[in-house]
Amino acid sequence: AYDAFEAMLSASRLIDQDLNWIGSTNHLVIVGDVLDRGPESRRALDLIMQLEAQARDAGGTVHLVLGNHELMNLIGDLRYVSASEYAAFAEDETPAMRQEAFERFTGTLESFDAQFPPGFFAHRQAFSANGQYGAWLLQKPFLVTVNDWAFVHGGLAEASRDLIVGDFNATLQEQLYSYAVALDTLINFGILSAADNFFDHPEVLEAFAARVEAGEAQWPEAAETAASIIDQFNTAFAFDTQGPAWYRGTVGCTALIATDRLSATLTTAGVQHLVVGHTPTRDALVHSHHDERLYRIDTGMLSEYYGGRGAALIVEGDVARAIYEDEGVLHEIAAQPRHVGSRPADMTVDDLLEFLATADIVAVTPTDTRWSQVTLRRGDVELNAVFTPKPSRNTQPDLAAWQLDRILGVDMVPATVAREIDGTAGTVQYLPSRSIDEEQRQAEGLGGGAWCPLTDQFGAMYIFVALIGNTGRTLDRLLYNTENFQVMLVGHDMSFPTARGKPQHLAALELP
């Protein structure tokens, strides 16, 4: 997203029309993911390297925090490198480099060229531990602090707190550097290929070790040590989904789950606020979260892929505001909106409630239970919902569950309104698209990539279920948004009983 990047630097008054630093003693912090999916990653890196030197001479600082895509390029996870990114290195790639690689390749020249587009080998060399970009990136931090502000790419899991007490960056940089050097060693010996995926490295090395044991091969000097490093660090925290370059829980977990944890982590780090990228906001706006302890600044800057725009967080003293690529004026920062279930990106929760209450009902589909599925439409927007007749004159448990969820910030119950359909009073509850229930999730083994870990979400769910006394939480009443595996709770007709104490199915469960 080079053009958007350049536009944001200009709008933030950090560069002039010749792309030279004019930011004086300011700090520029880039929260990672300069690489992958776009045509001009190299050009963006070159500009950052230039500004880094110019800012230093002017008394300012350019910080680049490592994102997961920087890590991926350094350790051989090339899933998102585009052909155009390889092409940027084509002029650096000699015929000898390609010939040497082809001699190690099993297959035709046609299949070789398809698997290794022009520039592939020069790209891999440039991102090696001794390469032009690799050596530079291996010096970059995972966490940067400026005054009361901390910056990481993805987020800070609870597991990060112990590392912060020690030397956070040194620990993770050592894991990354050791892996990158060992990878180069094994590629140079031909034991690993530049095309071998990071996740396959242990298996490839295990197969080579089996050949050594069978007397069919032998370890070159230093190669066995390099292999042991790969085995040791392939699952290291630097590359883990709980690590700061990958973790989405700080963004994806609700206030009930994450606010106190984040506050404790930031206190340990000696800062007040955390700024992250990694997870694009749905409305291409910068948001605050967790009582303004967290700021989300990924607004889908690579517009052709994410449909967003460039943005920057401008911090002056204690005041934080946002500036956008297509506007150039400072904006106040709104709190992250409640968002249970997929819906149009620009539809707020109040918009959704108004839609459920007043949109035209174009279809009512009875089920074998007491509720019906209804389809609502207004203009080009069509959404599905569930209509549940009022069970008695004085109770509407689905509506009560929704209102209590909203008060407490549990953020698991889909938006619900009271509405009469065909003369019958009841509730209309939003039925999010792209949803599956717990039975489907278990059958397909899904949910490992949930933005907020399922164990954390289940803990919050149990508290809410116990609080409302719900004795009817069956598998079909526990839904998931397949976009991020957010837990969604529906069907509360067996809630709010007069009996005291926890429901029987939760009686033995601790509820911290």
Side-chain angles (χ1 to χ4, degrees):
Y2 178 84
D3 290 341
F5 179 46
E6 185 182 307
M8 289 313 308
L9 293 174
S10 179
S12 303
R13 300 177 184 174
L14 295 177
I15 62 172
D16 63 18
Q17 61 183 6
D18 297 319
L19 309 183
N20 291 312
W21 177 265
I22 57 169
S24 184
T25 59
N26 286 308
H27 291 260
L28 165 63
V29 186
I30 301 160
V31 290
D33 278 6
V34 181
L35 304 174
D36 288 347
R37 288 196 174 110
E40 295 187 291
S41 298
R42 185 178 191 178
R43 194 176 174 198
L45 287 180
D46 288 341
L47 179 57
I48 295 169
M49 294 171 83
Q50 170 197 313
L51 295 177
E52 184 180 55
Q54 292 178 342
R56 188 185 308 117
D57 292 341
T61 311
V62 172
H63 309 269
L64 173 61
V65 176
L66 291 171
N68 59 301
H69 286 270
E70 280 75 45
L71 298 186
M72 292 165 76
N73 276 264
L74 291 167
I75 61 178
D77 185 351
L78 309 178
R79 284 174 287 169
Y80 303 112
V81 184
S82 67
S84 57
E85 287 176 298
Y86 291 130
F89 292 84
E91 290 186 3
D92 300 337
E93 189 170 86
T94 66
M97 292 170 67
R98 295 191 68 81
Q99 181 60 34
E100 181 183 354
F102 179 64
E103 289 174 358
R104 296 180 179 180
F105 181 74
T106 303
T108 65
L109 180 59
E110 184 179 9
S111 60
F112 174 82
D113 288 337
Q115 187 172 345
F116 306 109
F120 176 90
F121 298 104
H123 176 279
R124 299 315 306 136
Q125 186 178 78
F127 285 96
S128 68
N130 294 314
Q132 177 186 3
Y133 302 108
W136 178 69
L137 287 171
L138 287 172
Q139 300 174 39
K140 300 305 172 192
F142 286 76
L143 169 71
V144 161
T145 59
V146 181
N147 301 326
D148 284 336
W149 295 74
F151 303 82
V152 300
H153 177 65
L156 291 175
E158 274 197 298
S160 294
R161 201 178 306 163
D162 291 339
L163 285 178
I164 289 173
V165 173
D167 195 329
F168 188 87
N169 282 319
T171 300
L172 300 185
Q173 284 174 317
E174 173 61 23
Q175 294 172 358
L176 173 59
Y177 180 80
S178 297
Y179 200 97
V181 171
L183 178 61
D184 284 355
T185 299
L186 294 164
I187 289 175
N188 290 337
F189 282 125
I191 297 173
L192 286 176
S193 162
D196 285 332
N197 187 280
F198 166 77
F199 298 101
D200 297 330
H201 290 165
E203 183 179 343
V204 174
L205 294 175
E206 187 177 329
F208 185 84
R211 290 181 58 214
V212 171
E213 189 172 345
E216 300 171 3
Q218 60 180 8
W219 291 107
E221 185 179 356
E224 189 170 12
T225 300
S228 68
I229 291 172
I230 294 291
D231 184 62
Q232 176 185 355
F233 287 129
N234 189 263
T235 56
F237 190 66
F239 316 127
D240 192 85
T241 55
Q242 295 279 306
W246 284 95
Y247 185 61
R248 296 191 196 271
T250 309
V251 165
C253 290
T254 63
L256 178 66
I257 297 169
T259 299
D260 288 345
R261 292 181 182 179
L262 177 61
S263 295
T265 301
L266 296 184
T267 297
T268 301
V271 296
Q272 294 294 318
H273 311 281
L274 177 67
V275 180
V276 301
H278 192 48
T279 306
T281 58
R282 291 179 172 90
D283 54 8
L285 293 174
V286 172
H287 290 306
S288 69
H289 195 23
H290 302 306
D291 300 329
E292 298 184 343
R293 305 304 295 274
L294 176 73
Y295 287 81
R296 294 181 58 187
I297 67 169
D298 187 334
T299 53
M301 186 173 179
L302 186 62
S303 58
E304 59 264 37
Y305 189 87
Y306 294 105
R309 56 180 174 172
L313 184 74
I314 308 294
V315 180
E316 298 176 291
D318 295 328
V319 179
R321 289 173 293 179
I323 190 169
Y324 298 99
E325 174 188 357
D326 51 353
E327 296 182 18
V329 296
L330 292 172
H331 291 263
E332 299 298 317
I333 297 171
Q336 177 171 303
R338 185 187 195 276
H339 199 104
V340 178
S342 300
R343 61 174 184 264
D346 58 351
M347 180 177 279
T348 68
V349 63
D350 290 328
D351 292 338
L352 179 59
L353 289 170
E354 194 271 339
F355 186 93
L356 293 173
T358 63
D360 294 334
I361 296 172
V362 296
V364 179
T365 306
T367 68
D368 55 5
T369 63
R370 56 189 301 272
W371 58 268
S372 303
Q373 180 172 318
V374 298
T375 301
L376 303 103
R377 182 185 301 152
R378 178 185 295 150
D380 295 333
V381 178
E382 183 174 292
L383 300 176
N384 291 322
V386 170
F387 175 72
T388 304
K390 200 173 183 179
S392 70
R393 201 169 88 178
N394 297 317
T395 65
Q396 288 184 298
D398 281 315
L399 186 60
W402 147 251
Q403 291 182 346
L404 186 61
D405 171 286
R406 195 175 188 187
I407 290 169
L408 298 177
V410 178
D411 291 352
M412 289 186 173
V413 180
T416 309
V417 299
R419 184 167 182 176
E420 188 175 288
I421 294 182
D422 295 333
T424 301
T427 56
V428 173
Q429 184 172 77
Y430 177 49
L431 180 61
S433 60
R434 293 193 290 179
S435 300
I436 61 172
D437 64 23
E438 173 64 2
E439 185 174 13
Q440 292 172 278
R441 186 196 72 81
Q442 289 184 15
E444 298 179 36
L446 301 174
W451 288 8
C452 184
L454 291 185
T455 51
D456 288 335
Q457 294 192 72
F458 290 160
M461 176 184 70
Y462 295 144
I463 291 171
F464 186 68
V465 168
L467 183 64
I468 65 176
N470 190 342
T471 60
R473 180 62 58 212
T474 53
L475 297 183
D476 61 330
R477 298 181 179 209
L478 172 54
L479 305 182
Y480 297 89
N481 176 0
T482 55
E483 175 191 13
N484 56 12
F485 279 89
Q486 174 190 30
V487 167
M488 299 179 288
L489 305 178
V490 298
H492 296 91
D493 49 298
M494 297 179 69
S495 302
F496 304 102
T498 55
R500 296 189 176 191
K502 291 187 288 188
Q504 187 59 39
H505 69 287
L506 296 178
L509 188 68
E510 288 189 25
L511 300 176

